[in-house]
Amino acid sequence: AGAPIPSTDNAPRPGAKGSTRMNAKTIRDLARVHAEYYHIKKEMEQLRQANLALESERVKLKEVVGDLYVSEDEEAKLKERYIELHEAIIASLEEARPRTAELMPQLYEVLMRLSDQDLKEVYLEMMRILMDDSATVSPKLRGVAEGISIKIGEMIDKPRHVRLKMHQKEAEERKQQDEERRRQNELQSKNRAAVALNKRLNARAHEALSDAFAQVAGVPRADLPTAEAQELASRLRKRAELRIVNMTPKDCRAIPPGQFKAFSTSGLRPCEVRAITHIVQQAVDLGANRDAQSFLSMLMVRVAGLPQDEAALEAEIRQFGGRAPGPGGGDGEDGEDGEGDAEG
């Protein structure tokens, strides 16, 4: 009963000393979390910078190769596409009409875009087929493998971005060639009727002039009945180009190159230009020399500027004493009577 009551002055206050230790631990935990946060934040920034660098590299690579940039997903698809095309080619080898002409260009395009590692694997596989002497490898299969290996050999020492650039350039050149071919076809289609008409007019002019020249060639001037015939014989002697009219295409082809260089279209009448063109064109088709081709080009320029008018040509032919085409032509009958009178 008389026990003393302990003093409360030195007793720990609720939450005093214990609270101090908890606060210090909490502070240390917070400091550790804070440090870990900034460490993670620093790593994230490094990853972000690395990703930016990779993206910058990707952009630069795409600038080099353009739209032919190949991603990892595309690489897998390209390999699948190569296998698909190769299997289709091999399967078609036993068909009546193999699809090599159709599929091989597509396969070459895929090869151009394969990764360096995939390209080497394909090359080794083709070499294995070529070195296999067993009966399981048919000549057709060996031929396909040889074609693929040759194509890979042209590109295997080049990095893919170089190969892609080459492919892009080849694709652009093919596109330009296709466009030029299309324009040429359109132009030829438009000019086909004009070309056919010119050929017909040239042949008609040659028919008339060869007959007229044959009548005066080698005939003494005094024996020629008319002034027109004498003038025609004089032109035939003075203009070596006109002698082509009575040559065969084979004889024309045999003319020395130097003589072709001396030929000119200046001063030739439209009908004469057409008649000469008819023979020189056939000589060039037989394989005449380059000078003959140059002369033909000169003639064709003149022909292109002539009227494509059959009536105008016939009027000019009549000045040479030529016969009108077709049966019962009045001019033809007069010409024949004239020849008979001259002979008589």
Side-chain angles (χ1 to χ4, degrees), residues 187-226:
L187 183 62
Q188 289 177 6
S189 179
K190 291 178 181 178
N191 293 340
R192 192 170 290 119
V195 169
L197 177 57
N198 271 327
K199 283 187 175 181
R200 189 166 67 251
L201 294 176
N202 294 346
R204 171 62 186 137
H206 174 263
E207 177 189 12
L209 264 65
S210 61
D211 184 39
F213 287 166
Q215 294 179 31
V216 301
V219 179
R221 181 181 179 85
D223 294 341
L224 295 173
T226 64

Side-chain angles (χ1 to χ4, degrees), residues 52-341:
L52 288 175
L54 288 173
E55 179 64 19
S56 177
E57 272 187 39
R58 187 190 68 81
V59 170
K60 289 180 180 178
L61 180 60
K62 194 163 186 177
E63 287 177 357
V64 172
V65 300
D67 294 333
L68 298 174
Y69 172 76
V70 180
S71 66
E72 291 183 2
D73 291 340
E74 288 174 318
E75 282 186 1
K77 292 179 181 179
L78 283 170
K79 193 169 183 179
E80 292 175 1
R81 178 60 176 160
Y82 164 78
I83 295 172
E84 176 186 342
L85 286 170
H86 188 259
E87 289 178 349
I89 291 170
I90 300 306
S92 74
L93 293 179
E94 302 305 322
E95 298 175 1
R97 293 184 179 180
R99 301 174 61 196
T100 50
E102 170 196 352
L103 299 178
M104 289 295 279
Q106 299 179 39
L107 185 137
Y108 290 156
E109 184 174 345
V110 173
L111 287 175
M112 190 78 73
R113 303 186 66 190
L114 285 179
S115 67
D116 296 344
Q117 182 61 35
D118 289 340
L119 191 65
K120 290 177 181 177
E121 290 178 2
V122 173
Y123 184 73
L124 291 175
E125 177 63 18
M126 295 304 106
M127 295 305 295
R128 184 192 65 77
I129 294 175
L130 288 174
M131 296 176 67
D132 189 346
D133 295 331
S134 66
T136 58
V137 179
S138 68
K140 292 181 179 180
L141 179 58
R142 188 172 282 106
V144 170
E146 183 177 3
I148 295 174
S149 63
I150 291 173
K151 191 67 176 179
I152 296 177
E154 297 172 355
M155 65 178 85
I156 197 168
D157 59 338
K158 297 177 178 65
R160 178 160 61 176
H161 72 276
V162 175
R163 286 187 270 120
L164 293 176
K165 197 67 176 178
M166 289 171 54
H167 173 72
Q168 186 181 42
K169 183 179 179 181
E170 291 174 0
E172 290 174 356
E173 289 176 352
R174 283 196 301 272
K175 183 179 179 181
Q176 292 175 0
Q177 291 171 357
D178 292 342
E179 181 64 22
E180 179 62 24
R181 193 178 298 109
R182 184 187 64 79
R183 286 197 297 266
Q184 290 295 332
N185 290 338
E186 288 181 356
L187 183 62
Q188 289 177 6
S189 179
K190 291 178 181 178
N191 293 340
R192 192 170 290 119
V195 169
L197 177 57
N198 271 327
K199 283 187 175 181
R200 189 166 67 251
L201 294 176
N202 294 346
R204 171 62 186 137
H206 174 263
E207 177 189 12
L209 264 65
S210 61
D211 184 39
F213 287 166
Q215 294 179 31
V216 301
V219 179
R221 181 181 179 85
D223 294 341
L224 295 173
T226 64
E228 290 80 3
Q230 293 174 2
E231 180 189 358
L232 193 62
S234 177
R235 285 184 61 78
L236 191 58
R237 286 193 301 270
K238 292 178 181 178
R239 296 301 300 263
E241 300 91 345
L242 293 178
R243 297 169 200 160
I244 294 175
V245 174
N246 288 89
M247 291 183 180
T248 65
K250 187 176 180 181
D251 292 337
C252 178
R253 181 171 175 261
I255 294 176
Q259 191 170 348
F260 271 114
K261 287 183 178 180
F263 288 160
S264 171
T265 62
S266 177
L268 291 177
R269 296 166 180 170
C271 190
E272 294 169 342
V273 171
R274 287 191 178 279
I276 296 170
T277 302
H278 179 71
I279 295 298
V280 177
Q281 176 72 71
Q282 295 179 69
V284 169
D285 291 342
L286 291 176
N289 57 64
R290 186 176 301 176
D291 292 328
Q293 296 174 6
S294 298
F295 182 50
L296 177 62
S297 298
M298 295 169 56
L299 291 166
M300 295 300 286
V301 171
R302 283 288 308 274
V303 168
L306 296 178
Q308 296 185 359
D309 187 341
E310 296 186 61
L313 178 63
E314 292 301 330
E316 186 181 0
I317 286 174
R318 282 193 291 271
Q319 297 176 7
F320 287 92
R323 293 169 298 176
D331 291 335
E333 293 176 359
D334 293 343
E336 290 174 359
D337 291 343
E339 289 178 15
D341 294 339

